[in-house]
Amino acid sequence: MITAGGPDTARTWEAVVQGRPTTALIPELAGMPVQLACQATAFDGDAVLGRRAAWRLDRCTQMALVAGREAVADAGLDPAGWDGARVGTVLGSALGGIGTWQREYDRLRELGPERISPLTIPMSLPNLIAGQLATDLRACGPSLVTSTACASGTTALGVARDLLRHDSCDVVITGGAESSLVHSVVAAFARAGALSRNAEDPELASRPFDKDRDGFVIAEAAAILVLEHPDHARARGAQVYAYLSGYGASADAGHETRPDPEGAGAQRAVESALRDAELFPIEIDHVNAHGTSTPLNDLAEGRMVRRVIGGHPLVTAAKGVTGHSLGAAGAVEAALTALTLKHQVVPPTAGLRETDPAVDLDVVRGTARKEAVEAALSNSFGFGGQNAALVLTRA
């Protein structure tokens, strides 16, 4: 993982377990109606990839490559020795290389068409995030990018799981990446009323399920996971963090930005994931919530979780620390859920001071809780009414 919490998995996990908010005023957003963001300041693509390689890649893709290399190394896999035809790449991203589009549009407007980079299209096309990772890792199997708004990373994991289930691959490198801290995106979300404006106290800007929440904090991140067929993993003695046991998806088929107030579409996705995992709601010990810190989303999700799962699971929302990384968020949260299953620790929801009384759930706050977690649910919901849910179980 690469997040505002840290440039790798260990430091991101530490920040999330400590409940350490990362929201800050970002100088690059000066002049925007909202200047708050969760920026991965410790990540330097030039330093990690080399300046010559990095300048050909959008920052979103740079993050995906570095996170992908970390994931593959952690899995004990060597691209030089694997059968690349049996390795796929499926990544999620809502906006792709939007940073490149913004920069090159500014250049067009100020300097003219002759100054546009000839690499603009390959740097900005969403599919090139997966394409570049596939090239970097010599993965010659199916390669694609899913774009289901803020559910994109979770959708990617579901598609990747299906490739394994249908024996199209032995291994799929999957997850999500997003870097969209640019003027056009921030201004648009601000105009839509989606962003927190709590600039006086940035640490309380992202506060999922809090009674005083007022919007999300935009973030950048990448999270890459290695999904592997169980037989293939056992044959090589792989370290297993968790099993991806269930996946479900649905559409609200309603408003383009507002969630269904009762979470009916989200409920269909969650119930589908539970059926796929062959688990009953009572067997879910932990919910890693979408928890954006917006008034409508948190209330709809809270009602849905209480109705479908019940009040017994420990709930957390990582966006209190990481902010909302749009298409990467579901992948970040799936990775954090896998780490919860491995370490048996449920992180707190940073920024949460007083839980909204309309959210009748056990939302962890203050400090992490050491609890037995055998099965967990990770939710993601996006504009367009696109819902996706994963059930992860302990290895």
Side-chain angles (χ1 to χ4, degrees):
M1 286 181 282
I2 298 168
T3 70
D8 53 35
T9 300
R11 280 174 281 189
T12 291
W13 175 244
E14 179 183 13
V16 171
V17 170
Q18 291 178 355
R20 189 169 68 239
T22 62
T23 302
L25 291 167
I26 305 301
E28 292 89 341
L29 297 179
M32 292 295 98
V34 172
Q35 299 171 42
L36 295 168
C38 293
Q39 188 176 36
T41 54
F43 174 74
D44 183 342
D46 287 357
V48 180
L49 296 169
R51 190 171 183 182
R52 183 176 178 82
W55 78 270
R56 301 174 63 89
L57 304 171
D58 186 85
R59 181 169 169 86
C60 173
T61 306
Q62 294 177 19
M63 296 170 75
L65 258 62
V66 174
R69 290 176 182 179
E70 180 190 357
V72 168
D74 183 67
L77 290 165
D78 181 4
W82 66 23
D83 179 3
R86 297 288 297 172
V87 180
T89 48
V90 183
L91 302 187
S93 186
L95 296 170
I98 192 71
T100 295
W101 277 121
Q102 176 81 66
R103 185 189 66 241
E104 296 305 320
Y105 172 74
D106 291 343
R107 188 173 291 173
L108 171 66
R109 186 182 58 191
E110 296 167 10
L111 303 175
E114 295 79 12
R115 299 300 298 275
I116 292 288
S117 169
L119 296 175
T120 299
I121 298 301
M123 290 176 70
S124 55
L125 285 175
N127 73 291
L128 260 295
I129 304 170
Q132 292 283 11
L133 183 61
T135 300
D136 189 68
L137 297 176
R138 305 179 191 178
C140 304
S143 178
L144 64 146
V145 165
T146 60
S147 188
T148 52
C150 301
S152 298
T154 299
T155 304
L157 268 81
V159 172
R161 193 284 310 268
D162 288 347
L163 288 174
L164 296 179
R165 180 171 282 182
H166 296 301
D167 197 33
S168 299
C169 298
D170 297 320
V171 176
V172 184
I173 314 304
T174 185
E178 201 85 74
S179 181
S180 55
L181 307 185
V182 298
H183 288 187
S184 57
V185 175
V186 172
F189 274 125
R191 285 284 290 159
L195 300 181
S196 173
R197 294 175 180 263
N198 191 8
E200 295 77 20
D201 194 351
E203 290 196 351
L204 292 179
S206 184
R207 51 200 310 180
F209 299 114
D210 192 274
K211 69 179 184 63
D212 294 322
R213 65 192 183 278
D214 71 327
F216 75 80
V217 175
I218 194 168
E220 61 178 355
I224 308 297
L225 300 88
V226 174
L227 288 193
E228 189 169 1
H229 193 284
D231 292 342
H232 191 273
R234 278 192 291 268
R236 67 181 189 87
Q239 173 187 216
V240 179
Y241 284 88
Y243 293 109
L244 177 46
S245 299
Y247 167 66
S250 70
D252 284 356
H255 195 273
E256 64 266 27
T257 58
R258 288 197 305 269
D260 180 283
E262 296 301 321
Q267 176 173 339
R268 289 190 292 274
V270 168
E271 289 175 340
S272 178
L274 288 169
R275 286 193 300 272
D276 191 36
E278 299 182 341
L279 291 178
F280 293 106
I282 193 64
E283 296 178 273
I284 297 297
D285 304 307
H286 167 53
V287 176
N288 193 305
H290 187 55
T292 58
S293 184
T294 57
L296 295 179
N297 176 86
D298 289 8
L299 182 57
E301 183 177 16
R303 286 171 170 168
M304 182 276 294
V305 169
R306 177 71 192 196
R307 185 172 64 250
V308 178
I309 305 298
H312 66 278
L314 297 181
V315 178
T316 194
K319 292 180 180 71
V321 171
T322 64
H324 190 355
S325 55
L326 309 181
V332 171
E333 288 150 18
L336 293 171
T337 304
L339 289 170
T340 285
L341 287 159
K342 177 178 175 59
H343 297 298
Q344 297 289 282
V345 172
V346 178
T349 301
L352 176 58
R353 297 297 176 87
E354 184 176 345
T355 305
D356 185 339
V359 177
D360 187 16
L361 296 171
D362 187 2
V363 184
V364 179
R365 61 175 178 161
T367 59
R369 290 198 216 171
K370 187 81 173 175
E371 296 283 350
V373 179
E374 297 295 326
L377 173 71
S378 182
N379 295 329
S380 295
F381 315 120
F383 280 4
Q386 300 201 257
N387 311 298
L390 304 172
V391 172
L392 285 80
T393 54
R394 190 178 183 187

